[in-house]
Amino acid sequence: MGSCFLLIIAAIMKYISILGESRSASTGDHGMDDLLNLYRELGYTSVQNFLDGVNVLFEGDGSETEQEISLKITKAIEDKFGFKVPVIARTVKNIELSIKANPFAKIYRTDTKSLHLTMLSEVPSEKVLTEIVKVSSPPDEFTIVEKDVFLHCFGKYEDSKLNTHFFEDKLEVMGATRKWQIVTKLVDTAKRVEKEAAAAAELAKNTPSNDY
């Protein structure tokens, strides 16, 4: 009797993770190299920091959900460095979809500095969503779509009550916020890095070897 083999091929996925705000009294003395090495220890590849912030571009084998990755990295940071900070991981493609879904980007297209995106670790429950729609904080405004909170702040984001901790508490999930201009740059930069890597790989493939 012949043998039957099941071949499962996992697609390499490109992710961007953003770190939120720690509620710990101290986050210790750990540099970016320590953080990037932690991602590598967890099995992720092509790990790099970009846009001068705690934004990490990396690759995974596609076997984990975004929520699983987020929780895995959050726990690993707490176990290794001794403090808890929310980590939100999304595929580059899904962040692109979030960019297209922002209703405020169409309304305030000439004032993107007033826009922010709070990424959530998971879709909030119907119960908390029903309660949060009753919240009003004029002139600031927000709308929630799946795992995204789209914000429009008339003043400084730092002065608004619609901050990350507010949504974490009200929605009972983890979150991390970035300026809208940073969100769009994250995707643009990730796509540029991917193109450069593909071009380098193609060049290497077509370059004759000097080996004899």
Side-chain angles (χ1 to χ4, degrees):
M1 182 181 293
S3 299
C4 179
F5 295 94
L6 176 62
L7 178 62
I8 300 176
I9 302 176
I12 297 299
M13 301 291 289
K14 295 187 180 298
Y15 298 89
I16 293 173
S17 69
I18 64 175
L19 272 66
E21 301 173 25
S22 174
R23 301 201 189 199
S24 303
S26 173
T27 56
D29 183 21
H30 304 286
M32 181 55 62
D33 288 344
D34 295 326
L35 179 64
L36 300 184
N37 285 333
L38 176 62
Y39 278 67
R40 297 182 184 105
E41 290 170 6
L42 293 174
Y44 301 117
T45 58
S46 301
V47 181
Q48 58 184 294
N49 165 248
F50 61 135
L51 292 188
D52 298 325
V54 193
N55 311 297
V56 181
L57 176 65
F58 62 99
E59 293 181 352
D61 63 12
S63 64
E64 301 169 295
T65 66
E66 292 176 338
Q67 184 180 357
E68 288 171 339
I69 294 173
S70 300
L71 292 173
K72 179 179 178 179
I73 299 173
T74 297
K75 184 178 185 302
I77 290 175
E78 184 175 13
D79 290 344
K80 185 159 187 175
F81 302 137
F83 62 90
K84 187 170 185 177
V85 59
V87 178
I88 307 300
R90 299 274 182 90
T91 64
V92 174
K93 182 177 180 179
N94 280 342
I95 298 180
E96 280 191 274
L97 293 176
S98 295
I99 290 173
K100 294 177 181 178
N102 188 349
F104 298 132
K106 301 175 179 66
I107 300 171
Y108 304 104
R109 64 183 67 183
T110 60
D111 184 27
T112 57
K113 290 183 179 180
S114 65
L115 306 181
H116 297 75
L117 173 63
T118 298
M119 297 185 192
L120 306 175
S121 58
E122 58 188 289
V123 177
S125 68
E126 287 296 330
K127 178 181 178 181
V128 297
L129 287 173
T130 301
E131 290 300 316
I132 202 168
V133 295
K134 303 174 185 177
V135 173
S136 177
S137 182
D140 300 340
E141 52 190 336
F142 70 92
T143 187
I144 301 173
V145 180
E146 297 291 330
K147 297 191 292 183
D148 293 322
V149 181
F150 299 107
L151 298 166
H152 175 235
C153 298
F154 279 83
K156 293 181 179 180
Y157 171 79
E158 294 77 11
D159 297 331
S160 174
K161 85 170 187 178
L162 302 178
N163 55 37
T164 306
H165 292 331
F166 170 83
F167 288 110
E168 286 181 321
D169 293 340
K170 293 293 184 181
L171 299 175
E172 300 175 356
V173 296
M174 296 191 304
T177 303
R178 291 293 184 272
K179 296 177 180 178
W180 189 246
Q181 294 169 321
I182 294 296
V183 174
T184 56
K185 283 182 180 179
L186 286 172
V187 170
D188 289 343
T189 304
K191 292 169 73 173
R192 177 177 56 77
V193 168
E194 183 176 9
K195 284 184 178 180
E196 290 174 351
E202 185 67 20
L203 179 62
K205 184 175 71 173
N206 295 325
T207 301
S209 173
N210 293 323
D211 295 336
Y212 292 97

